[in-house]
Amino acid sequence: MYITITPQKLGINYSQSSADFVGYLEKENQGLEQQDMEHFFNQYGDEISAEEVVKEIDGNTAKLKKKEPKFYSITVSPSKHELRKLQDNSQDLKTYTRQLMKDYVASFNREINGRPITIDDIKYYAKIEHQRTFKGTDIQIRENQPYATKILQLKTDIRNIEEGRAQGNIRKIQKEISKLEQQAPHQQNGKRIVQGMLKEGNQSHIHIIISRKDASNSISLSPGSKHKASEVEMHGKNVKRGFDRDKFFEKAEKTFDKTFGYKRNFAETYNARKDFVKNPKLYFAALMKLPANEKALAFKMITKTGFPVIPSIPVSQAQIALRVFKRLRRGAEVAIKSSSIGI
């Protein structure tokens, strides 16, 4: 389970409206019949239109400054192992989203009129998507890049020859291009994986857009707060503040496991991924204590999430060299970043 929380982008190329983001989330509906479309939904309603989402989010921004985000985006990406536990991807992920958002509000260390925040205090809309494309940050694209660079240069050479700016054997260059296409380490359906290519298999995931202000449009609720859970005196009163991201990520996993009867492997847990980066010795010590079948699955999951392949499984801490730790941590940081807030 990978969850990211990111604020609305406020650069010069982004408007103050949520329209661009909502429009982006409508991309999979293009060309589909009404009955085949995935619609926005919230805690109590289904088939909410994109126009209503934009109207509600943009109209809930009282007293926010121009440079403050008006909304946040949560992306929830279940692993292929987790998706296999679902009977109906769309309906099951809707059910999970509604439980997840209860975990979200419970992670705020805030009160409204002396009571804890509830699900009715936030304004959010969610949408299920079933496709993903390879991005430049994916390990497949990064490791294929040297081949892509050489292929691009060879294609430029061919164009220069065809247009009379250079001399050479086009057929020979084309054979070299074909060879490089086949040598690229990451292939899908017999083709070199390139940026923008659709990923095969079940890619269902959830996008959630949440208003920065509460449902009454009077209180700011930011999951980007730098304060995990604290109290501060303001105007002579003690005020609670903060959002506990660790608590949210941990509860998100437990809610999924409870809802769908999923048995989570050690390597899949949020806390384990944090240990992998911060204290690899502690991580491997715990990993090596797992039963053989769970340990084998854990190593398989590690390699599938983009961590470097380990040449041999260590049998004791003494055999784990420091250089291996450093190598693993560089790869792990890419994965753990997916489970942290993008503030």
Side-chain angles (χ1 to χ4, degrees), residues 323-337:
R323 62 182 180 81
V324 176
F325 282 143
K326 290 180 179 179
R327 185 160 150 257
L328 286 168
R329 286 182 68 182
R330 286 196 296 270
E333 283 167 359
V334 175
I336 194 66
K337 186 177 180 182

Side-chain angles (χ1 to χ4, degrees), residues 89-254:
N89 280 7
S90 294
Q91 193 55 51
D92 287 350
L93 289 178
K94 282 185 181 180
T95 298
Y96 174 62
T97 299
R98 287 167 173 150
Q99 293 299 317
L100 176 74
M101 296 314 289
K102 292 180 181 179
D103 296 333
Y104 174 79
V105 297
S107 300
F108 278 100
N109 184 49
R110 295 287 302 278
E111 290 183 346
I112 296 178
N113 299 324
R115 61 168 177 78
I117 298 172
T118 70
I119 191 66
D120 295 325
D121 291 315
I122 65 170
K123 187 183 287 288
Y124 84 87
Y125 299 91
K127 198 166 189 290
I128 310 299
E129 289 192 334
H130 301 289
Q131 295 179 346
R132 281 193 179 282
T133 59
F134 286 99
K135 299 179 180 179
T137 53
D138 288 333
I139 188 171
Q140 295 90 340
I141 301 300
R142 291 187 283 113
E143 293 188 354
N144 274 358
Q145 188 55 49
Y147 297 84
T149 301
K150 291 178 182 178
I151 289 170
L152 180 61
Q153 181 57 56
L154 291 173
K155 287 182 177 180
T156 300
D157 292 343
I158 289 176
R159 188 164 58 251
N160 287 335
I161 293 171
E162 291 175 337
E163 296 176 1
R165 292 189 295 271
Q167 293 182 342
N169 188 325
I170 292 179
R171 182 174 295 181
K172 183 178 179 180
I173 297 174
Q174 289 173 334
K175 287 184 179 180
E176 182 63 24
I177 291 174
S178 297
K179 184 178 179 181
L180 289 168
E181 291 282 7
Q182 296 172 1
Q183 289 178 339
H186 299 285
Q187 307 277 329
Q188 182 172 280
N189 296 323
K191 294 183 178 181
R192 172 175 59 94
I193 293 176
V194 298
Q195 193 166 335
M197 179 184 287
L198 286 176
K199 294 183 178 181
E200 63 181 357
N202 190 343
Q203 299 294 333
S204 296
H205 58 285
I206 311 160
H207 285 288
I208 308 168
I209 180 170
I210 313 166
S211 175
R212 166 75 174 267
K213 300 300 288 284
D214 75 323
S216 70
N217 202 14
S218 58
I219 297 174
S220 178
L221 297 174
S222 171
S225 172
K226 295 180 181 179
H227 309 284
K228 179 176 289 189
S230 62
E231 291 190 17
V232 62
E233 186 174 326
M234 295 180 65
H235 308 296
K237 296 181 179 180
N238 286 333
V239 179
K240 291 184 178 181
R241 63 179 180 178
F243 180 81
D244 194 331
R245 297 186 286 275
D246 287 338
K247 178 181 178 181
F248 175 52
F249 295 136
E250 290 166 11
K251 285 179 71 70
E253 289 182 348
K254 290 179 181 178

Side-chain angles (χ1 to χ4, degrees), residues 233-298:
E233 186 174 326
M234 295 180 65
H235 308 296
K237 296 181 179 180
N238 286 333
V239 179
K240 291 184 178 181
R241 63 179 180 178
F243 180 81
D244 194 331
R245 297 186 286 275
D246 287 338
K247 178 181 178 181
F248 175 52
F249 295 136
E250 290 166 11
K251 285 179 71 70
E253 289 182 348
K254 290 179 181 178
T255 294
F256 186 93
D257 298 348
K258 181 179 179 181
T259 302
F260 303 109
Y262 184 70
K263 187 177 180 181
R264 187 169 300 277
N265 184 274
F266 169 79
E268 295 178 276
T269 63
Y270 173 66
N271 285 329
R273 293 198 299 271
K274 283 201 304 180
D275 286 342
F276 197 107
V277 173
K278 296 180 179 180
N279 192 338
K281 288 185 178 181
L282 179 65
Y283 175 89
F284 273 101
L287 181 62
M288 298 314 297
K289 293 178 182 179
L290 295 175
N293 59 333
E294 291 185 35
K295 180 164 51 180
L297 179 59

